[in-house]
Amino acid sequence: MATQPDFVLYDRYGRLAAVIEIKAKRGTSSRWAAEFRRNLLAYETFRYAPLFLLVTPDRLYLWKSEVPKDSEADLAPVFPDYAIDAKLVFERYLQGAGVRLEEISGPAFELIVMSWLEDLIHQWPEALRHTQLEGSGLDEAAKNGRITYPAAA
């Protein structure tokens, strides 16, 4: 398992706002996501972000709270604050690319997610419309921020 997130989001002031992990796994659940996140908490990069976003072709899972700095890596799994149908978020991106979530490859899915994240940064209204993520803090954290790709380094 990689020890770096796929993407790191910094807010407009350069502060760590979110870590984003993308998995092309299908058939996920909130329980699976909670256990996956718990396993990642052993790595420092994942522990201190105010937001943690796990993106799959099925769902987006978002946790809003930072893990306490003195907690152990083997904490009980914490269910996400938001679990959103990925079709609600990525439908317009998929239509433009002429692909379906059920058939998308891992690299193509990562490009779709990256496009969506860039739209969040530039505050395109469609990026959060009808996604049930309004008010989650993700839009405010992303506004005029920047994305880095530590896994590519």
Side-chain angles (χ1 to χ4, degrees):
M1 179 181 297
T3 59
Q4 295 292 318
D6 293 318
F7 300 115
V8 177
L9 172 67
Y10 294 92
D11 68 14
R12 65 183 144 269
Y13 304 110
R15 298 177 300 209
L16 175 63
V19 293
I20 299 129
E21 189 68 17
I22 302 169
K23 292 292 165 212
K25 181 175 175 52
R26 290 170 175 77
T28 64
S29 67
S30 290
R31 174 165 293 290
W32 172 84
E35 291 172 359
F36 186 84
R37 177 179 173 263
R38 180 199 57 205
N39 293 339
L40 289 177
L41 292 179
Y43 303 102
E44 234 177 90
T45 307
F46 292 92
R47 296 180 74 80
Y48 305 121
L51 298 169
F52 178 81
L53 180 64
L54 174 58
V55 184
T56 72
D58 297 329
R59 304 191 77 68
L60 280 77
Y61 302 98
L62 178 67
W63 288 262
K64 289 179 64 170
S65 58
E66 180 177 330
V67 176
K69 292 174 179 33
D70 60 347
S71 66
E72 297 296 320
D74 60 353
L75 292 170
V78 174
F79 282 82
D81 296 303
Y82 295 83
I84 309 302
D85 184 344
K87 286 183 182 178
L88 295 173
V89 177
F90 300 121
E91 184 175 30
R92 73 182 198 93
Y93 301 92
L94 295 165
Q95 288 173 348
V99 295
R100 296 172 7 135
L101 275 176
E102 298 80 14
E103 302 166 346
I104 197 165
S105 69
F109 182 60
E110 191 167 304
L111 288 173
I112 294 285
V113 174
M114 188 170 33
S115 294
W116 174 69
L117 290 169
E118 289 293 334
D119 283 355
L120 281 178
I121 287 171
H122 298 294
Q123 296 291 286
W124 295 109
E126 298 82 17
L128 280 179
R129 187 174 294 148
H130 308 299
T131 66
Q132 303 168 356
L133 284 170
E134 294 99 338
S136 68
L138 184 60
D139 57 338
E140 190 56 34
K143 183 178 183 179
N144 298 317
R146 67 180 170 86
I147 295 281
T148 63
Y149 316 97

